[in-house]
Amino acid sequence: MRGALVQRGKVWSVVLSTKDDSGKWKQKWIATGARSKKEAQPVLTEIMSKVNKGTYVAPGKQTLGDFLNQWLLDYKGNLSPRGFERYDSIAHVHLIPALGNIPLTQLRPEQLQRFYTTELNKGLSPLTVRYFHVVIHKALQTALEYGIVSRNVADAVKAPKAEHTDMETWDGMEIAHFLEVSIDSPYYALFYTALFTGMRRSEMLALRFQDIDFLLSQVSVSRGLHQLKDGSYVFTQPKSAKSRRTIALSPAAILTLKEHKEKQGALKAQLEVQQRDSDLVFSDIEGKPLRPNTVTRAWAILAERAGLKPIPLHSARHSHASIMLKQGVNPKIVQERLGHATIAITMDIYSSVLPGLQEAAANGFDKMVLPRTEVQNQIR
């Protein structure tokens, strides 16, 4: 099989030439949508690479299932290990069984829309089905860029709207009570850190002693820890550039971490093991990573023991942010502490906290600008 680039009108196409049984050459045209030969060249290179490997399937014969399987392998490098597991599960548990036999070039918007409706009727949440939409959209966008399909049919489909759920948080008194109940727990320092910094579970589990500056009272976040389905652990890069950050620690938080380090050092000394700066801050007695699900279950058990309303461990992060915002801390500072990519994300997540802050800000403006007697008269 030969491959070449040919301009037709204003766009370039890949032309594949093959000999049939009689020795005659037959051509297959594949649109790339590229406006220049330079833009079309990667498509030709990709196709010819698959031809040479024996993995190329002609667009007219390739099913959606075939394409998703190959796309997952090609796209794997763009995902974290946990992210790839999620994409792979969505494709093989949901997308391929329902839509995999449809020829890729014949997939229609109404088929995708019907699939979403069917999944919702099965009891799946709108948010879950939206994840399906994200995966199929990215895959079809790749097919469009490769010139295999003429459009991304997922663009014409409406994904379910995510249901709004009220954020569950604890206030200062509830946090204090929880910490009082959990003080003898082996996870006390971990939960204290979660509530006093707003760090993600994965970030705390990847934390090393060298990441804590006990002199300046701050902690550096530079990675995350995840456990894969096979039980292995992987350290990953932060979700975004803003996720790589330094968080100032309160006096109480730094004292808790100092005491935790001393206890860890004493336990290691009993085992005749030297404590190192590269050791994980939160680990088992042998220094191995803690299982994320075990930590989450311990949180739930302690919350129930304390008689508090149940909130997930991730809501420790929300509780931290909500308390800071209610104290009048600049939202930009809260964004930096949480590691959100933009302040818009912070403002959107914690919009329920903002009305009270705006009222306080408006009242504060009166006090700063108007004479005190005038303000008092207006209040009367």
Side-chain angles (χ1 to χ4, degrees):
M1 181 181 291
R2 299 175 182 174
L5 291 173
V6 178
Q7 187 176 18
R8 177 184 281 179
K10 294 183 179 181
V11 297
W12 287 77
S13 297
V14 172
V15 179
L16 299 178
S17 302
T18 57
K19 281 186 178 181
D20 60 17
D21 294 337
S22 64
K24 294 182 179 180
W25 285 95
K26 289 188 175 183
Q27 293 182 331
K28 178 72 175 180
W29 288 67
I30 304 172
T32 68
R35 295 279 178 169
S36 68
K37 187 174 183 180
K38 183 178 180 180
E39 291 178 2
Q41 186 61 50
V43 179
L44 174 61
T45 302
E46 177 72 20
I47 291 175
M48 295 311 299
S49 174
K50 291 181 178 180
V51 167
N52 294 330
K53 294 177 183 177
T55 60
Y56 177 73
V57 179
K61 299 178 181 179
Q62 189 177 32
T63 66
L64 177 61
D66 293 333
F67 180 77
L68 282 173
N69 279 315
Q70 185 60 49
W71 175 77
L72 282 168
L73 295 177
D74 296 339
Y75 198 71
K76 186 175 182 179
N78 298 308
L79 300 169
S80 67
R82 281 289 300 277
F84 175 75
E85 284 191 340
R86 286 193 293 269
Y87 273 50
D88 187 71
S89 176
I90 288 172
H92 288 101
V93 176
H94 300 279
L95 298 176
I96 293 176
L99 305 168
N101 291 329
I102 300 173
L104 180 59
T105 56
Q106 295 178 29
L107 180 65
R108 302 189 307 276
E110 60 267 29
Q111 292 173 308
L112 268 184
Q113 196 74 68
R114 194 176 302 120
F115 165 68
Y116 295 162
T117 302
T118 300
E119 296 302 293
L120 289 171
N121 290 338
K122 290 179 181 178
L124 295 182
S125 71
L127 183 59
T128 297
V129 178
R130 282 184 70 86
Y131 287 145
F132 298 170
H133 178 73
V134 168
V135 175
I136 191 69
H137 187 279
K138 286 186 178 181
L140 293 176
Q141 187 63 29
T142 302
L144 175 64
E145 293 167 359
Y146 284 178
I148 300 175
V149 296
S150 59
R151 65 167 179 156
N152 185 340
V153 299
D155 285 333
V157 179
K158 292 184 178 179
K161 291 183 178 180
E163 296 176 336
H164 175 74
T165 56
D166 293 332
M167 186 184 302
E168 292 288 339
T169 60
W170 288 338
D171 59 25
M173 292 184 63
E174 290 170 318
I175 289 175
H177 180 57
F178 173 81
L179 292 174
E180 182 181 356
V181 171
S182 61
I183 193 167
D184 293 325
S185 166
Y187 305 106
Y188 175 74
L190 172 60
F191 295 153
Y192 202 107
T193 302
L195 290 162
F196 276 68
T197 66
M199 290 172 62
R200 301 176 178 93
R201 181 184 68 178
S202 61
E203 294 170 341
M204 291 185 294
L205 296 182
L207 204 61
R208 298 158 297 189
F209 284 115
Q210 68 190 48
D211 299 321
I212 304 174
D213 190 324
F214 289 98
L215 182 62
L216 297 180
S217 296
Q218 60 188 27
V219 59
S220 298
V221 180
S222 60
R223 61 180 190 167
L225 181 140
H226 300 277
Q227 186 175 29
L228 302 181
K229 290 181 179 179
D230 62 4
S232 62
Y233 295 93
V234 291
F235 291 98
T236 60
Q237 295 298 308
K239 294 178 64 176
S240 67
K242 294 291 185 180
S243 292
R244 188 184 295 273
R245 62 200 187 280
T246 298
I247 303 172
L249 298 171
S250 69
I254 196 67
L255 178 60
T256 298
L257 287 171
K258 281 182 179 178
E259 292 175 347
H260 174 71
K261 183 179 181 181
E262 291 171 359
K263 289 179 181 178
Q264 290 285 80
L267 287 173
K268 287 182 178 294
Q270 292 177 9
L271 298 174
E272 298 183 351
V273 176
Q274 184 178 1
Q275 189 177 57
R276 299 170 298 179
D277 286 343
S278 59
D279 289 345
L280 291 173
V281 175
F282 307 112
S283 64
D284 65 13
I285 190 64
E286 297 178 352
K288 297 178 181 178
L290 297 176
R291 294 183 61 187
N293 289 343
T294 301
V295 171
T296 298
R297 282 196 297 271
W299 168 275
I301 291 171
L302 287 169
E304 183 179 5
R305 185 182 301 169
L308 296 170
K309 61 185 177 186
I311 64 172
L313 175 56
H314 190 73
S315 286
R317 178 174 168 84
H318 296 321
S319 299
H320 176 79
S322 297
I323 289 175
M324 297 202 82
L325 288 169
K326 289 177 181 177
Q327 286 180 326
V329 175
N330 190 313
K332 181 64 178 177
I333 301 299
V334 177
Q335 174 213 341
E336 292 172 353
R337 289 181 69 84
L338 298 182
H340 287 157
T342 66
I343 193 170
I345 295 175
T346 309
M347 301 295 280
D348 183 54
I349 293 175
Y350 302 105
S351 58
S352 61
V353 181
L354 298 180
L357 299 180
Q358 291 207 26
E359 182 181 354
N363 293 336
F365 193 86
D366 273 2
K367 293 178 181 179
M368 289 294 295
V369 176
L370 299 178
R372 181 172 299 179
T373 55
E374 185 176 343
V375 174
Q376 291 173 344
N377 290 334
Q378 289 179 359
I379 293 175
R380 290 172 187 170

